Each structure stands twice: as structure tokens, then as C-alpha cells.
Amino acid sequence: MCDQSTADAGQSASDRYFFPDLIVAAHLIRLSWPDGARYASSTSLADLIDRHVSSAAARRHTPEPDGRMPIAWDAPEDPAECAAVLVAADSLLGHEERDDAGMTDRVRPLAASAFSRNPANIGASLRRMDVSPAMARALLCHTQGFYRAGGHRHVRQRLPSRQSRFRIEHVPALLPQEWLSAHFDDLLSHWAHHTDWKVRHLRRVSALKLAEMSGGGTWPDCAKTLRIPWHTAQQSLKVIRQELNARDLWSDFERSVESVASQLDWGTDRVHYGRRRELLSCWQVPAGDWAELCRDLEQFGQGATSPTRDTATVLIWTHVTQGDHLHSPMLGALRASGCSTQRLVASINQLRTPANRKGGKRELLRRLETYSAVLATACDQRTDTAAIATTLSTPAGTNEAGRMLGPVVRALTGASL
């Protein structure tokens, strides 16, 4: 026979959280009644719960002799009524092990009803309880595609909104174009007159949703982790909410993002975008590499929009991190120092404009993309992380970075390896 310590160590998560989950489920049955009547297994049990709820509602407006007002979550005093509530609560919980999705489907409608009928502090108190992750997810407030935690800030706000194999570090700041094409065609087919500008907002909001799924927290928390400025994330959410509400496309959006999440769950080649963002936070294209990248190309001149080393740095960062070029470290540093970003942004836009992708500019873009791919691979190789961090995270390391990628540049320009 095993001793008590062994038995305790083998206690399942369902055993540990059974009573806390049961208590929350019982309150949800009471506070949302009669919405949860289907969880009462007989008419007699339903009558007992109905009797309790009716008497509790009447007492709630009648002060106790000591002047105390009965609170909404007072337990039934009658044993039969209490038993009826507990039986219904047990039915609400279900009996399948690790039934995360099932519990969410059962609990969330009752939670939404209960919280809408009662003071905000009731929902906040229930969400702060030490319940199972499945119950905690089901209690999160769901509004227009995103969850928000209520009440005071606490650890439950960081709970991922689904069980995910991928982590928030695997989420880029903008949904890659290939992910959009693979998973959002159905949504976009119902979204008439969508523009590139609106689709860019969609890519950003989708990334925020993936971050919420895998890392938890509110959308400002997710935006901070992905290094998306708060006002930018807010604007994207505003645009997408207007568009999806107008066309009743929220369910299509959630299905599309869930499809991306499932692909990430089972993928074996997830990209650690968090590491890439960190390693390239202070990186700049080495001067020697920039000279080699421009070798044998027609001169771009010295105009305000001519490609520069800074232009290349931003475009490479954008490709490697799948981020928004406007939020690149290079442009961020210019803003922080009070310098104008107009010239650099204009240079980037000129090079990226489809009509200008010809001749030397087209060849430069090709070289930058290949250079970016090699740099991305270097960032992803765990064995080289320490060396890359040293060479790429400080301006003093750019010469070493040039030696690491120099052969690639020479190959691109036709020189010997």
C-alpha cells in the first residue's frame, strides 16, 4: 500500500479543484436561474432551486435584524434546497477528465447571465477563486472576440484563453501573409470592399488574439509583449470591431484564428519570434554588408527617398520579426531622440511600392530578402544564441555580424563564397 504522501502526490488536478469548481458552479446555477434549469435532473429538484432563488431574491431587499443586507452568494439554508443546487452544479461541471472545451461551452453562458444580473463585484470575486484552469477560462468575460478579466488585477488575468502547445513567444506582431492566405479566405470572401489597410489591421488583431490564446492577459498585456504600441493596437481593434460587427463576422474571425492556433499547436517548426525581436532590438546592417548589398546595382542617388543603410535595416528587421516597419527599433529610436522619421519612412515606402519594384530596386529587395532569411536562421539556431546576442544586440558587434553574414552577401552579388 502507498503511504499518505504518495497518495497526495498522485492527487489529480480534478480532485484538487473539485470542491472550488463545485462552489463556483453552484453560485452560477443560483445567480443565473432559470437559465441553468436543464442541469436539474428532475422537476422536484428544479422546484427546490426555484424556491430558494425566489426567497433569496425577496430577502436581498430586506435588511437582517442586525442591519446587514443579505449578499447575493449566500448559500441556501434549507438542506433540501442546498442539495438540489449542488446536484445541478455537479451536472454543470460534467464528469469528463480534462473536459476544457466542454466546460467552457456549459459554464460561459451561465456566467455571462449571472454577471449581467448582479453587481460587478460578484463576478470579480468568483473569478478570483482558486478554481481549475478550465473553470477559470470559462469565467473570463468574452466580448467581441476577446476576453477581459474583471475586478482587481490578479494572476487569473494572465490565464491563456485556451490550452495551447505554442507559446506567446511564437506569435509575431503581424500575422504573416501566408497564414492569412491559408486560414482567412472564408472570412475575407464575406468581407466586401476590404482594403490593404483594413487587412493590415486584421493581421494585427489576429496576432493579439493568438497572444491571448497562448499567453493570457488582456489585449493591452498582449500588445506590450508583442511590442505593439498601445494606441496602435487600440486603433486596430476599433477598425476590426466596426467591420466585423457590421457584417456579423466574429464567428468567422474566431474560427480562422483557431485554425491558425491548431496549426501552431501541431507544428514542429515554430518560429521563436520573441527571440528574434530581442536579438534584433539594437541591430543595424553592418556598413560593409550594405556596401556589398548595393554592389553592381545602378546608383540610387542621394534623394530624400533613396534607399539607405537605415532603410535596409528596417526592412530586414520587418522580414525577420514579421513586425510592422513603423514599429521597428530604428524608427523608435528616432522618435525617442526627437528626430523626424519622415525621410526614412518615405524611403521605405518608395522601395516597397509595387510600381517601383524594377531594375536595381527590385534586385536590392531580392538581396535583402535572402539576407533576411539567413539572419533569421542564425537567430533561430539555439547553439548560436549567445554569440548572436553578443554580436547583434550592441552596435559594437556589427563588424562581427558582418563577418558572419559576409559570405552570403558575396554570394548574392556574384562574388566567390
Side-chain angles (χ1 to χ4, degrees):
M1 296 179 61
C2 63
D3 58 24
Q4 185 60 44
S5 62
T6 304
D8 291 342
Q11 183 184 39
S12 69
S14 60
D15 291 337
R16 172 188 172 189
Y17 290 116
F18 175 76
F19 284 109
D21 282 5
L22 185 65
I23 291 170
V24 170
H27 285 309
L28 292 178
I29 290 290
R30 298 174 52 254
L31 298 174
S32 67
W33 190 262
D35 292 15
R38 62 184 178 279
Y39 297 108
S41 56
S42 67
T43 302
S44 59
L45 289 178
D47 289 342
L48 286 168
I49 299 173
D50 191 70
R51 187 176 73 186
H52 158 68
V53 171
S54 298
S55 62
R59 291 199 322 272
R60 200 170 301 154
H61 302 288
T62 305
E64 299 286 354
D66 60 1
R68 183 181 68 90
M69 294 295 293
I71 56 178
W73 53 76
D74 276 346
E77 296 180 358
D78 181 83
E81 293 175 358
C82 188
V85 171
L86 290 174
V87 169
D90 184 61
S91 179
L92 172 61
L93 292 179
H95 302 284
E96 295 293 329
E97 289 289 332
R98 306 178 67 84
D99 185 20
D100 198 334
M103 182 179 288
T104 297
D105 291 341
R106 294 189 299 274
V107 169
R108 182 163 295 148
L110 298 192
S113 177
F115 298 162
S116 67
R117 300 179 192 176
N118 294 276
N121 66 308
I122 301 256
S125 297
L126 293 180
R127 281 191 288 267
R128 282 197 295 270
M129 290 185 65
D130 185 24
V131 294
S132 67
M135 175 62 80
R137 290 187 185 94
L139 292 175
L140 291 174
C141 295
H142 181 262
T143 306
Q144 295 185 326
F146 282 78
Y147 297 93
R148 59 181 178 84
H152 303 291
R153 297 189 66 83
H154 54 87
V155 69
R156 287 298 180 190
Q157 287 187 323
R158 299 300 304 182
L159 184 77
S161 63
R162 76 190 283 276
Q163 289 181 313
S164 301
R165 293 174 180 264
F166 69 98
R167 304 192 308 275
I168 194 169
E169 292 84 1
H170 299 124
V171 180
L174 280 177
L175 196 75
Q177 188 63 48
E178 55 268 28
W179 296 6
L180 187 79
S181 300
H183 302 281
F184 283 77
D185 276 353
D186 187 53
L187 183 152
L188 293 174
S189 69
H190 293 95
W191 183 0
H193 310 301
H194 59 269
T195 63
D196 290 343
W197 178 76
K198 290 180 180 178
V199 170
R200 192 168 189 81
H201 285 298
L202 175 64
R203 293 170 61 196
R204 184 175 294 117
V205 170
S206 300
L208 289 172
K209 183 63 180 177
L210 288 171
E212 177 203 80
M213 288 175 161
S214 55
T218 58
W219 69 257
D221 297 326
C222 296
K224 183 177 181 179
T225 300
L226 299 182
R227 303 191 183 185
I228 301 172
W230 183 89
H231 66 276
T232 301
Q234 183 190 48
Q235 177 62 18
S236 290
L237 285 165
K238 178 180 179 181
V239 170
I240 294 305
R241 281 171 172 162
Q242 289 176 342
E243 292 294 325
L244 299 189
N245 284 337
R247 296 166 175 79
D248 194 23
L249 292 175
W250 275 113
S251 59
D252 296 79
F253 170 80
E254 294 190 353
R255 280 194 298 270
S256 296
V257 180
E258 177 61 34
S259 179
V260 177
S262 296
Q263 176 179 305
L264 288 172
D265 276 341
W266 300 107
T268 57
D269 56 348
R270 302 187 195 104
V271 172
H272 197 305
Y273 288 104
R275 180 186 297 114
R276 290 185 179 185
R277 286 190 290 265
E278 184 64 31
L279 293 177
L280 298 185
S281 61
C282 297
W283 179 81
Q284 186 177 18
V285 177
D289 282 9
W290 172 239
E292 291 290 339
L293 285 166
C294 295
R295 181 192 291 237
D296 299 330
L297 298 181
E298 63 185 45
Q299 293 301 309
F300 298 120
Q302 300 300 317
T305 61
S306 297
T308 65
R309 179 184 170 198
D310 289 348
T311 307
T313 297
V314 172
L315 290 176
I316 291 170
W317 177 90
T318 300
H319 182 92
V320 174
T321 67
Q322 289 296 304
D324 189 323
H325 70 278
L326 294 176
H327 306 147
S328 63
M330 177 71 66
L331 285 167
L334 287 175
R335 296 188 189 99
S337 65
C339 297
S340 173
T341 62
Q342 183 176 358
R343 182 166 182 167
L344 179 54
V345 171
S347 174
I348 295 166
N349 290 338
Q350 277 291 313
L351 198 57
R352 294 180 58 168
T353 300
N356 295 330
R357 294 178 184 176
K358 52 189 175 183
K361 290 183 178 179
R362 181 175 61 184
E363 176 60 19
L364 177 60
L365 280 173
R366 185 190 70 81
R367 294 178 182 182
L368 291 177
E369 289 175 1
T370 304
Y371 186 98
S372 299
V374 176
L375 181 59
T377 299
C379 290
D380 295 340
Q381 291 175 347
R382 292 180 181 272
T383 56
D384 295 334
T385 298
I388 296 169
T390 299
T391 59
L392 299 186
S393 63
T394 62
T398 55
N399 289 335
E400 177 61 23
R403 287 195 290 274
M404 293 168 63
L405 296 171
V408 177
V409 180
R410 289 194 293 274
L412 284 171
T413 58
S416 59
L417 289 173

